[in-house]
Each structure stands twice: as C-alpha cells, then as structure tokens.
C-alpha cells in the first residue's frame, strides 16, 4: 500500500514497543504544531471513539477475556481502527487538521503478525480492509531496548497492574522491537529514532524530520 496524501491535513503516526516514549513525544509535537498555528488532533489506539474505547476495555482490561484467541485480538484491533478512520481521522484530514496517531496499522502488523505469529498475508489483508487506502505520510518509530521500555512502563503505571498485553513475557516485546525494525527497513515512510536519548533531544530530532518530510508551510517552533 502507498500513502495517499490528502488535501489539507497531514497524517503522522507514532509506533514502538511499550514505554518507548510515544505519548511524551506526541505531546511535544502537538504543542509545537499548535504554536505554529496548525489545527491538530491526537488519536490513540485502540480507542478514540465510543466503539473503540469499548474495544480497548475488552482487549486490555477485562479479566474475563483472558482466554481471547489471537485471531479475535487481531479482529478487535482492526475493528477499533476501522471506526476511528471513518469517524475521526478522515473527516479531520479533510477539514485540514493535522492528525497525530499514537499507534496505527503498523502495531497490528508487528504485535499480531510478528509477535503473535499470525499469518502475515492475512494480517495485511485485514489491515487493508480496516483502513481502506489511508496510510500515514510519516511514521516515527521510537526504538528502545524492550527491557528498558518495560521498566519505564512499569514505573509509570498508576495501579501497578499490567494489562493483558503488558503481561506478556519479555521475549514477546523483543520480537515486537525486531519486527518494527524489519518493517522500517522495508517502508520508506517509517523513520527510526533512537529512543535512549533525552526527551528534549528526541523532540528536536522529530521536529527536524517533520519539517524535512512534510514541509509544513510554517515550521514548528522549537
Ligand atoms: N496493540 C496491539 O497489540 N495491536 C494493535 O494494533 C494496537 C495496539 C493498536 C496499547 O497500549 C497496547 O495495545 C500496546 C500495543 C497493543 N501494548 N503494549 N505493550 P497502551 O495504549 O496502553 O500503551 P502503549 O502504546 O504501549 O504506550 P505506553 O506504554 O503508555 O508508553 P509510551 O506512550 O510509549 O511512553 P510514555 O508514556 O511517553 O513514556 C513512558 C515513561 O517513560 C514515562 O514515565 C515518561 O516520562 C518516560 N520517558 C519518556 N521518554 C523518556 C526518555 N527519553 N528518557 C527517559 N524517560 C522517558
């Protein structure tokens, strides 16, 4: 699939394993884009709509769903995204808003296709069905050692209870990290950023990439 540029708004997604710093960097980018006068919308997955938030609850926080099959998990992530694309992302891009997505279809490719080991072609077909022809123009991949990311995520958790996906063994997140790096090597829209650096340093690197790749009329201010 090739990214389909839309008139007006720009579409950027952030990807990476747990605790890699997506939310932190997204907040920084949204702030600087807004200061530069852009309308910006932030989305998260799963979630972002009534349907998606119910799906999120089922996928992550429903103890009775602990026997969920990998196939059901795949379809639920896809269902949340299908709703988000049509209800929120497309309309926002069409009215000229920048959309910054905390995860998009690459999460499914990597978590369900690679780490869970589901058939890659089927995962790709389901992804395509869920998003139609909409792809981000730029994807920022924050790359971090799986153990370090896990440590950061645990330290941040409010109730200290891992959700159903965080509860996977470290080997699962090592597969996720490698899966993302392999995917980035084959997709030019994905830019890999070393997430070991300081928050400021990474934010500056992301701004530089956004300007270079998307050439906003007015560059975000540092
Ligand atoms: N999932 C899936 O399997 N398939 C799919 O299709 C989709 C998702 C869409 C959603 O989790 C889960 O669903 C996720 C993948 C799966 N599971 N896992 N694992 P989520 O939405 O609840 O959370 P997340 O997306 O994994 O993100 P996160 O763990 O909340 O982390 P983050 O947003 O990447 O990081 P952060 O909150 O910005 O930072 C974490 C901590 O590190 C925080 O205390 C920061 O202050 C600190 N931090 C941030 N940057 C730095 C730097 N540079 N240095 C030091 N410390 C830092």
């Amino acid at each position: 699939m090739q990214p389909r540029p839309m008139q007006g708004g720009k579409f950027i997604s952030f990807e990476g394993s747990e605790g890699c710093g997506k939310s932190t960097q997204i907040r920084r980018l949204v702030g600087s884009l807004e200061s530069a006068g852009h309308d910006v919308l932030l989305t998260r997955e799963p979630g972002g709509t009534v349907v998606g938030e119910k799906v999120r609850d089922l996928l992550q926080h429903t103890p009775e769903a602990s026997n969920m099959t990998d196939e059901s998990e795949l379809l639920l992530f896809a269902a949340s995204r299908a709703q988000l694309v049509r209800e929120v992302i497309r309309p926002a891009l069409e009215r000229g808003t920048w959309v910054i997505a905390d995860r998009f279809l690459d999460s499914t490719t990597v978590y369900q296709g690679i780490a869970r080991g589901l058939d890659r072609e089927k995962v790709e077909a389901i992804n395509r069905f869920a998003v139609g022809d909409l792809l981000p123009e730029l994807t920022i991949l924050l790359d971090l050692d799986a153990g370090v990311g896990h440590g950061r995520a645990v330290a941040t958790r409010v109730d200290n209870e891992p959700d159903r996906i965080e509860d996977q063994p470290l080997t699962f997140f090592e597969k996720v990290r490698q899966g993302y790096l392999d995917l980035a090597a084959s997709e030019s829209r994905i830019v890999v950023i070393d997430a070991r650096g300081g928050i400021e340093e990474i934010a500056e690197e992301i701004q530089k990439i956004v300007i270079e790749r998307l050439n906003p009329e007015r560059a975000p201010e540092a």
Side-chain angles (χ1 to χ4, degrees):
M1 266 191 295
Q2 290 301 311
R4 202 192 80 155
M6 301 198 68
Q7 293 298 312
K10 308 271 186 199
F11 183 20
I12 304 173
S13 64
F14 277 69
E15 296 280 356
S17 194
E18 60 164 353
C20 67
K22 288 179 285 83
S23 316
T24 304
Q25 293 302 331
I26 287 172
R27 279 195 298 274
R28 303 296 299 257
L29 181 62
V30 168
S32 55
L33 287 168
E34 283 177 343
S35 315
H38 297 287
D39 272 339
V40 188
L41 178 82
L42 164 62
T43 64
R44 74 163 181 178
E45 285 197 31
T49 62
V50 171
V51 169
E53 292 297 326
K54 297 250 183 222
V55 169
R56 182 181 182 93
D57 197 47
L58 193 54
L59 277 164
Q60 291 176 251
H61 306 293
T62 304
E64 299 80 2
S66 62
N67 67 343
M68 184 183 296
T69 67
D70 294 347
E71 290 79 4
S72 309
E73 182 181 277
L74 165 68
L75 293 166
L76 286 170
F77 278 117
S80 171
R81 184 167 310 120
Q83 186 72 26
L84 187 68
V85 163
R86 289 157 185 81
E87 186 181 325
V88 177
I89 298 181
R90 270 194 174 283
L93 291 171
E94 277 159 11
R95 56 175 192 267
T97 298
W98 284 55
V99 177
I100 315 292
D102 191 341
R103 299 193 178 281
F104 198 62
L105 87 173
D106 300 321
S107 288
T108 305
T109 303
V110 170
Y111 279 81
Q112 281 64 53
I114 295 168
R116 293 285 195 219
L118 291 174
D119 184 281
R120 282 290 296 276
E121 280 181 21
K122 288 187 180 129
V123 171
E124 216 175 285
I126 288 165
N127 266 345
R128 214 177 300 127
F129 181 65
V131 304
D133 59 2
L134 184 71
L135 272 189
E137 287 157 76
L138 170 66
T139 296
I140 302 287
L141 169 58
L142 294 174
D143 176 54
L144 189 63
D145 173 81
V148 175
H150 182 70
R152 285 188 191 172
V154 168
T156 312
R157 226 178 261 146
V158 186
D159 56 8
N160 240 6
E161 284 299 316
D163 66 37
R164 197 181 58 82
I165 296 173
E166 288 168 338
D167 213 15
Q168 298 300 309
L170 191 58
T171 49
F172 178 87
F173 295 102
E174 282 163 351
K175 281 190 207 164
V176 166
R177 183 193 189 187
Q178 192 54 49
Y180 271 126
L181 290 173
D182 293 343
L183 188 63
S186 66
E187 298 251 5
S188 59
R189 83 182 145 80
I190 306 180
V191 178
V192 184
I193 297 209
D194 185 340
R196 288 173 301 178
I199 291 173
E200 275 310 313
E201 185 192 334
I202 297 171
E204 279 171 25
E205 203 179 333
I206 291 172
Q207 286 202 7
K208 221 170 103 209
I209 291 163
V210 168
I211 293 164
E212 276 168 15
R213 291 283 188 119
L214 301 182
N215 192 19
E217 309 104 73
R218 283 195 286 158
E221 284 154 15

